[in-house]
Amino acid sequence: MLIEFVASDAALPEKAALAVVVFEGEAETAEAGAYARAVSASRFTGAKGQVLDVPGAQAADRVLLIGAGKAEGFDEMAAEHAAAAAYGAVKSTGLKTLRVKLPKAEAAFAGRAALGVRLASYRFDKYRTKEAADKKPSIAKTEIVAADREAASSAFAPLAALSDAVAFSRDLVSEPPNVLYPAEFARRVKDLETLGLEVEILGEEEMAKLGMGSLLGVGQGSIRESQLAVIKWNGARDASAQPVAFIGKGVCFDTGGISLKPADGMEDMKWDMGGAAAVAGLMHVLAGRKAKVNAVGILGLVENMPDGNAQRPGDVVTSMSGQTIEIINTDAEGRLVLADAVWYCQDRFKPKFMVDLATLTGAIIISLGNDYAGLFSNNDELSENLLAASKSEGEPLWRMPLPAQYDKNIDSMIADMKNTGGRPGGSITAALFIQRFVNGLPWAHLDIASTAWKKPSSVPTIPDGATGYGVRLLNKMVADKYED
Ligand code: BES
Ligand code: MN
Ligand code: ZN
């Protein structure tokens, strides 16, 4: 989607829609009352999310009024959502250009409106070969009216980097599992070196030397080689500054292994690498906007398959930390991947903190529904920073408890721990398991099984499917709290 910032009196191109964003209660008087008649002949009030197609308006081939809610509540997110709603209303009309006129034309609002359209126009259509032209979105360009076009472009620059990164992350999640297996995921991450990132890929032999028996056990039933991707961004003024670290669960397909999942819905398990995709997206945006921070991203990439060589329930594996794990259920594989990825991360990089993201448990969907991800942390400051970023970016997050008294639920009869803690508090015991590998560092775990994928989506900036959840939130937290 091409974005341009234009003056309010710029001539409209042919085949253009004009979306006039209006405040609630001010719809009839907006634009000198030009649309008062249409407004009074409808139930349009300007409430958030409302759209009114104005028949017979002369200003453009098509004119829409978009409700922005009350003037007092109008913020950057409201601008973003209004522009995304405008795009949603006209994307398949056959028109070529969308012009968005916000009720406030300051650069910050214009930039966010552009972000809203970019995010809303994301589409994963590379495997469609027969889609009729009249089913495809027609809008190729969006013009945002801005008082100061230069300032609007500058405000948009880091947001353009963000939308590219979210699209990168959504693409990874949307790819089918026969295409995006661990080595292919690693290759796509390696390609990010063109952005200035440093990427190392470790294969099974290297991981075996490091003693990563926990991660390797998950992938041992797959013909696809397990991979560990290590992504570094060195943007801090002080090159030796301690990094911040992010770790992602990248199970490219989760059959459950020998503890096989039921057939119904198993295809959804292609997005069991949503945590790794979010971390890859985060590294993409940090490099894209040249963030002043040192950061590392670590992705544990495996495929969990049943096979003659697959791990069995009852097996005991030794993790890189030296701790042994009795496998009770081979479908509780994400925590086994994270155990070694997290340990490796703290051991090698000694980061300020670690945040892991994982589509870890079905139980988090039962706890929080489909909008909120779960936050588990041993550190209040890190938690507050994550929650603040989550609020301002519209990626809902809810803190869950990590009670020490539940930790015994993952004690094993014959090893240091077992990989499941029973049904009660399943997301909590999963988090407690990971906590045994953080070696006391400030750490947070985001269980994004509830938010990595949405169908249907109720947010105008998130089309149905892969959400890219986590990229915005983490990028915002880094920008606000950890850059110098
Ligand atoms: N990848 C799943 C979690 C999941 C479930 C993500 C549904 C998205 C939607 C994870 O590996 C898993 O299978 N977890 C088990 C754990 C159980 C065996 C202790 C679960 O949640 O049932
Ligand atoms: Mn599983
Ligand atoms: Zn899984």
Side-chain angles (χ1 to χ4, degrees):
M1 170 70 59
L2 193 63
I3 301 283
E4 268 179 32
F5 297 99
V6 302
S8 64
D9 58 357
L12 270 162
E14 268 173 40
K15 297 205 126 213
L18 172 65
V20 181
V21 181
V22 298
F23 292 136
E24 187 166 354
E26 300 177 16
E28 295 204 19
T29 52
E31 306 283 296
Y35 311 114
R37 197 164 165 196
V39 172
S40 69
S42 74
R43 286 181 165 170
F44 183 88
T45 61
K48 233 176 223 175
Q50 283 186 343
V51 176
L52 177 66
D53 221 319
V54 182
Q58 297 299 307
D61 293 316
R62 193 150 180 169
V63 174
L64 304 165
L65 298 186
I66 309 290
K70 296 244 160 59
E72 312 85 78
F74 189 73
D75 56 10
E76 291 178 19
M77 187 58 88
E80 185 184 314
H81 279 176
Y87 173 78
V90 299
K91 65 179 179 189
S92 307
T93 50
L95 296 169
K96 299 287 180 219
T97 304
L98 165 65
R99 178 174 296 181
V100 178
K101 197 164 180 227
L102 297 167
K104 290 186 174 178
E106 285 99 319
F109 295 117
R112 281 292 284 270
L115 173 67
V117 174
R118 273 271 170 88
L119 293 173
S121 63
Y122 172 81
R123 201 160 185 261
F124 188 77
D125 54 10
K126 66 191 276 197
Y127 297 108
R128 294 178 183 274
T129 66
K130 296 185 171 182
E131 195 174 31
D134 65 355
K135 294 278 185 299
K136 290 185 183 155
S138 56
I139 300 283
K141 184 167 98 177
T142 297
E143 300 177 345
I144 312 277
V145 175
D148 181 339
R149 295 164 56 199
E150 292 270 308
S153 288
S154 309
F156 180 52
L159 303 178
L162 176 61
S163 75
D164 288 348
V166 170
F168 176 73
S169 181
R170 288 176 180 173
D171 278 348
L172 290 169
V173 173
S174 304
E175 283 286 6
N178 59 329
V179 172
L180 197 86
Y181 48 90
E184 173 60 17
F185 195 136
R187 270 193 288 278
R188 294 196 188 189
V189 167
K190 186 79 182 166
D191 287 346
L192 297 183
E193 288 194 327
T194 56
L195 295 174
L197 292 162
E198 274 175 54
V199 180
E200 282 169 51
I201 307 297
L202 281 61
E204 290 183 352
E205 211 174 304
E206 286 144 304
M207 287 191 273
K209 274 193 197 124
L210 289 162
M212 294 189 171
S214 182
L215 184 154
L216 288 170
V218 176
Q220 89 187 25
S222 169
I223 57 162
R224 306 295 195 181
E225 186 182 355
S226 299
Q227 311 268 283
L228 191 81
V230 181
I231 316 170
K232 287 183 274 184
W233 171 249
N234 295 310
R237 270 175 247 274
D238 171 7
S240 65
Q242 204 184 6
V244 294
F246 303 89
I247 301 107
K249 167 181 172 180
V251 177
C252 295
F253 195 74
D254 181 13
T255 64
I258 296 299
S259 312
L260 193 62
K261 287 182 182 295
D264 202 29
M266 202 202 273
E267 69 281 4
D268 287 350
M269 287 299 117
K270 75 169 185 180
W271 49 265
D272 209 18
M273 29 57 71
V279 172
L282 170 70
M283 300 308 289
H284 191 304
V285 59
L286 294 182
R289 63 177 185 78
K290 307 219 176 313
K292 300 234 170 324
V293 67
N294 289 345
V296 294
I298 300 202
L299 320 179
L301 304 170
V302 303
E303 184 179 61
N304 188 21
M305 299 292 269
D307 177 76
N309 193 43
Q311 161 161 281
R312 290 155 291 260
D315 283 2
V316 173
V317 296
T318 304
S319 66
M320 183 183 173
S321 71
Q323 300 177 94
T324 56
I325 305 160
E326 182 186 9
I327 310 299
I328 301 300
N329 188 321
T330 63
D331 197 14
E333 84 297 338
R335 64 199 75 181
L336 297 170
V337 172
L338 289 171
D340 279 337
V342 163
W343 184 267
Y344 174 82
C345 180
Q346 60 78 34
D347 183 56
R348 174 166 171 196
F349 294 105
K350 314 275 181 279
K352 277 194 190 111
F353 62 76
M354 300 189 285
V355 177
D356 79 73
L357 288 89
T359 50
L360 204 66
T361 65
I364 201 69
I365 308 172
I366 306 301
S367 308
L368 296 177
N370 291 116
D371 287 345
Y372 280 80
L375 162 65
F376 300 82
S377 179
N378 61 3
N379 188 282
D380 291 343
E381 186 189 333
L382 179 57
S383 296
E384 289 309 319
N385 290 345
L386 286 162
L387 290 166
S390 128
K391 274 210 183 73
S392 73
E393 293 299 288
E395 293 190 333
L397 186 63
W398 193 259
R399 189 163 181 188
M400 304 280 287
L402 263 181
Q405 68 269 31
Y406 291 3
D407 193 66
K408 61 178 182 312
N409 295 4
I410 52 171
D411 286 343
S412 158
M413 299 254 299
I414 64 160
D416 296 334
M417 68 194 86
K418 56 184 179 180
N419 78 329
T420 58
R423 278 170 65 79
S427 306
I428 299 174
T429 49
L432 287 165
F433 182 95
I434 302 167
Q435 185 173 239
R436 291 191 182 199
F437 298 86
V438 304
N439 211 7
L441 255 62
W443 154 80
H445 157 62
L446 273 52
D447 192 336
I448 61 168
S450 43
T451 57
W453 183 273
K454 261 197 184 20
K455 201 172 174 235
S457 164
S458 52
V459 185
T461 48
I462 305 177
D464 285 358
T467 60
Y469 183 99
V471 179
R472 293 189 68 167
L473 186 170
L474 297 175
N475 175 55
K476 177 73 174 164
M477 180 182 78
V478 170
D480 284 356
K481 303 288 178 183
Y482 298 102
E483 289 191 46
D484 54 38

